[in-house]
Amino acid sequence: MIGLDWGTTSLRAYRLDQAGAVLDKRESKSGILSVKPGGFPDELHNIAKDWLEAGEKLVVIAGMAGSKQGWAEAPYLACPVSVAEIARATLPVPFPATRVRLVPGLKARDADGMPEVMRGEETQILGVLDDLPEQEATLCLPGSHSKWVRVRAGRILDFSTHMTGEVFAALSAHTILARSLHRSAAHHPGAFARGLDRAGQGGGLLHQLFGLRSLSLFDAMPQLEAASYLSGLLIGHEVAAALEAGVAPPVHLVGAEALTLRYGAALAAFGIPSVTQTEDAAARGLFQIGVAIDAARITAC
Amino acid sequence: MIGLDWGTTSLRAYRLDQAGAVLDKRESKSGILSVKPGGFPDELHNIAKDWLEAGEKLVVIAGMAGSKQGWAEAPYLACPVSVAEIARATLPVPFPATRVRLVPGLKARDADGMPEVMRGEETQILGVLDDLPEQEATLCLPGSHSKWVRVRAGRILDFSTHMTGEVFAALSAHTILARSLHRSAAHHPGAFARGLDRAGQGGGLLHQLFGLRSLSLFDAMPQLEAASYLSGLLIGHEVAAALEAGVAPPVHLVGAEALTLRYGAALAAFGIPSVTQTEDAAARGLFQIGVAIDAARITAC
């Protein structure tokens, strides 16, 4: 089968064998923003022509390609959900000679009843779900929009999003803090730890953010350390809020190593153990959905 | 005398009589960023030529003109301070026939020992200080960098800054939230109140910010209301943190009406009374400094 993780600004394609092993892997910048209206079938051909010609009969596509702005809209599915339910809710789209199905995003409610959404991350969650014990576990997928996910017995129960990565990007580029930091500086673990510590102090995040400016004015914050400090400050607030909402340790971190290392350090600072999932979780999740589609004998299109 | 509030992107000039009444008032966009090196004396001539020719003998300049990037650096003065101490710390700069003095910024430490700075706002504080009782009072100057200030018996004790206004601007223009809101929409008190309410719930600010995106995806947040909701969310977090740090009610709000109304509503939602200072506090503060300079018989330059 073929699995696609088709996001806003990037496209990742996997050819998977019958055991889920990755036979081949491709990446392009043809995110959905760069695809012309009606251009999705052509784009799929572009990236997977030889795989399709070799006879692959199922393409599973996750991510923003299933959104209103994508190929077609696969409506958000309400949690809790299992992989079988996600597979049943995949949306078939017309394509010659091959079944192509779009994975729905997920929706949930937070503890205050506010709506929550994800689209794309659900495949990464499904990719690690099989390895987890039956009892409740907590997953954290750090990123622009970090997800904290409760799972139990093969089901995604609910989740909570924190806009941490995107807030970091906006503050470090578009506020007065930009003058205090080098955005391309190497990660500085000591400064990151100082930011984490600061997050645990008083005054609130909006006050602590200005403190970075003040430190810098008094030459108490080297430009090469300031971005790591800001990262620690924001991740510290995110992790503190997630822990207050409740987690089932150890927290399972899924994502790019540069981020999972930081979140692991932040959790450790709160005394919470974590485990990092280093495999290609998205490909595994796409495979799980493909297996579930076949198991349900869904043969549309 | 002449008083100047000379900021990064704007310049306000006041001609004041011997009782502090504003005789004339001018405004220009010649903020310090637009002044060439060595160009400050010329710029002062530009905006106040006739006042100077009429014989004004003292010019007091507050704001970023006294910073490293300005005319000359009037170093930050450590709190607590009185108007007399600020006047004594003003920095004379060479100018023909007239005394010109730069007002120093102020520095302080927050409850955790972190540094704090202001430059320019101190004149607004001095402008209302005379009207306050001897016992401790709390001032709030909302803005890009909101200041919460403790004063007592004519002295500025310390203060705390929240980057609320600038964070609002960065998030509403440079994150995914930009798609959910009209930045130029009229203030919507109902949506502002919803944002305030939300700030009091769980999950933390970084989570609640993403909630605005989710609400918008589910058509539960009209674009014309989203900016007010975001404003309520951020101001709610700021006010909650300020109240936790401690205030002496009623809070005295000093600033533009569009903002003092919002902060008054936010404080009221927490059950805290507020009083709004509607006068031109900066001009009054510049006058107080001028009087104190004369009282101290500072006659440099």
Side-chain angles (χ1 to χ4, degrees):
Chain A
M1 67 166 283
I2 296 170
L4 262 62
D5 181 5
W6 205 336
T8 306
T9 57
S10 71
L11 166 59
R12 277 188 206 87
Y14 307 91
R15 190 179 182 190
L16 304 161
D17 74 11
Q18 290 190 331
V22 176
L23 299 172
D24 199 359
K25 184 175 171 176
R26 289 170 192 170
E27 208 167 333
S28 96
K29 293 196 171 161
S30 299
I32 69 156
L33 289 182
S34 71
V35 178
K36 276 171 274 180
F40 286 91
D42 285 349
E43 205 61 50
L44 172 53
H45 267 301
N46 284 348
I47 201 155
K49 189 162 188 276
D50 51 335
W51 300 347
L52 292 163
E53 284 173 358
E56 294 293 355
K57 290 293 175 213
L58 175 63
V59 181
V60 176
I61 303 178
M64 295 303 285
S67 73
K68 248 180 227 175
Q69 294 79 35
W71 190 331
E73 188 180 5
Y76 292 104
L77 191 63
C79 287
V81 290
S82 64
V83 64
E85 289 160 324
I86 289 174
R88 273 199 295 276
T90 54
L91 180 77
V93 286
F95 194 80
T98 305
R99 287 179 298 152
V100 177
R101 303 190 72 98
L102 302 176
V103 177
L106 301 185
K107 63 183 177 183
R109 296 264 167 192
D110 75 6
D112 295 301
M114 293 291 280
E116 269 290 359
V117 291
M118 70 166 67
R119 199 178 274 285
E121 295 94 342
E122 68 288 339
T123 57
Q124 289 173 264
I125 299 166
L126 296 176
V128 302
L129 208 46
D130 260 10
D131 299 336
L132 300 179
E134 285 289 292
Q135 63 263 37
E136 185 171 321
T138 303
L139 274 59
C140 170
L141 289 71
S144 291
H145 302 160
S146 296
K147 305 288 182 186
W148 291 76
V149 189
R150 282 199 315 139
V151 300
R152 191 175 58 227
R155 291 169 77 83
I156 300 172
L157 300 181
D158 55 30
F159 57 92
S160 168
T161 307
H162 296 251
M163 236 175 92
T164 311
E166 205 180 359
V167 169
F168 173 85
L171 295 179
S172 59
H174 300 289
T175 70
I176 199 168
L177 300 182
R179 298 189 207 171
S180 302
L181 56 80
H182 273 300
R183 294 172 70 201
S184 54
H187 180 59
H188 191 292
F192 181 79
R194 281 174 71 194
L196 281 179
D197 281 351
R198 180 63 178 140
Q201 297 181 338
L205 176 57
L206 295 165
H207 165 63
Q208 293 172 356
L209 287 171
F210 187 77
L212 171 52
R213 167 73 176 159
S214 300
L215 285 169
S216 157
L217 279 173
F218 291 115
D219 298 322
M221 177 59 64
Q223 278 199 313
L224 288 172
E225 299 182 13
S228 294
Y229 178 89
L230 177 59
S231 174
L233 194 54
L234 292 170
I235 291 174
H237 275 273
E238 174 187 339
V239 170
L243 295 183
E244 203 178 315
V247 300
V251 172
H252 297 264
L253 295 167
V254 184
E257 198 183 23
L259 283 176
T260 56
L261 283 175
R262 294 187 192 198
Y263 278 73
L267 284 161
F270 284 98
I272 303 293
S274 62
V275 181
T276 300
Q277 310 288 340
T278 53
E279 291 169 81
D280 203 331
R284 288 193 60 194
L286 288 161
F287 174 73
Q288 303 283 6
I289 297 170
V291 168
I293 286 172
D294 282 336
R297 297 173 186 275
I298 296 169
T299 55
C301 300
Chain B
M1 65 167 283
I2 296 170
L4 263 61
D5 181 4
W6 205 337
T8 306
T9 58
S10 71
L11 167 58
R12 278 188 206 87
Y14 307 91
R15 188 179 185 189
L16 305 162
D17 74 10
Q18 289 192 332
V22 176
L23 298 173
D24 200 356
K25 184 176 170 176
R26 289 167 192 171
E27 208 166 333
S28 95
K29 292 195 171 160
S30 300
I32 68 156
L33 290 182
S34 71
V35 178
K36 277 171 274 180
F40 285 91
D42 285 349
E43 206 59 51
L44 172 54
H45 267 298
N46 284 347
I47 200 152
K49 188 161 189 276
D50 51 336
W51 300 349
L52 292 163
E53 285 173 358
E56 293 295 355
K57 291 290 175 216
L58 175 64
V59 182
V60 175
I61 304 178
M64 295 303 285
S67 74
K68 247 179 226 177
Q69 293 80 36
W71 188 331
E73 186 179 6
Y76 293 104
L77 190 62
C79 286
V81 288
S82 65
V83 64
E85 289 159 324
I86 290 175
R88 273 199 295 275
T90 54
L91 180 76
V93 286
F95 194 81
T98 305
R99 285 180 299 153
V100 178
R101 303 190 73 98
L102 302 175
V103 177
L106 301 185
K107 64 183 176 182
R109 296 267 167 188
D110 76 6
D112 294 301
M114 294 290 281
E116 271 290 0
V117 290
M118 71 165 66
R119 197 179 275 285
E121 294 93 341
E122 69 288 340
T123 56
Q124 288 172 266
I125 299 167
L126 296 177
V128 301
L129 208 46
D130 260 11
D131 298 337
L132 300 179
E134 285 289 292
Q135 64 263 38
E136 184 171 322
T138 303
L139 274 60
C140 169
L141 289 70
S144 290
H145 301 160
S146 296
K147 304 288 181 187
W148 291 75
V149 189
R150 284 199 313 139
V151 300
R152 189 175 59 226
R155 290 169 79 84
I156 300 172
L157 299 182
D158 55 31
F159 57 92
S160 168
T161 307
H162 297 251
M163 238 177 88
T164 310
E166 204 180 0
V167 169
F168 174 86
L171 295 179
S172 60
H174 300 289
T175 71
I176 200 167
L177 300 182
R179 299 188 206 171
S180 302
L181 56 81
H182 274 299
R183 294 172 70 201
S184 53
H187 181 60
H188 190 292
F192 180 79
R194 282 174 70 196
L196 281 181
D197 281 351
R198 180 63 177 139
Q201 297 181 339
L205 176 58
L206 295 165
H207 166 63
Q208 293 172 356
L209 288 171
F210 187 77
L212 172 53
R213 167 72 177 160
S214 301
L215 285 169
S216 159
L217 280 172
F218 292 115
D219 298 320
M221 177 59 64
Q223 278 199 313
L224 289 172
E225 299 181 12
S228 294
Y229 178 88
L230 178 59
S231 174
L233 194 54
L234 292 169
I235 291 173
H237 275 274
E238 174 188 338
V239 169
L243 295 183
E244 205 180 313
V247 300
V251 172
H252 297 264
L253 295 167
V254 184
E257 197 182 24
L259 284 176
T260 56
L261 283 174
R262 294 186 190 199
Y263 277 73
L267 284 162
F270 284 97
I272 303 293
S274 61
V275 182
T276 300
Q277 311 288 341
T278 53
E279 292 168 80
D280 203 331
R284 287 193 60 194
L286 287 161
F287 175 73
Q288 302 285 4
I289 297 170
V291 169
I293 286 172
D294 282 337
R297 299 173 186 274
I298 296 170
T299 53
C301 300

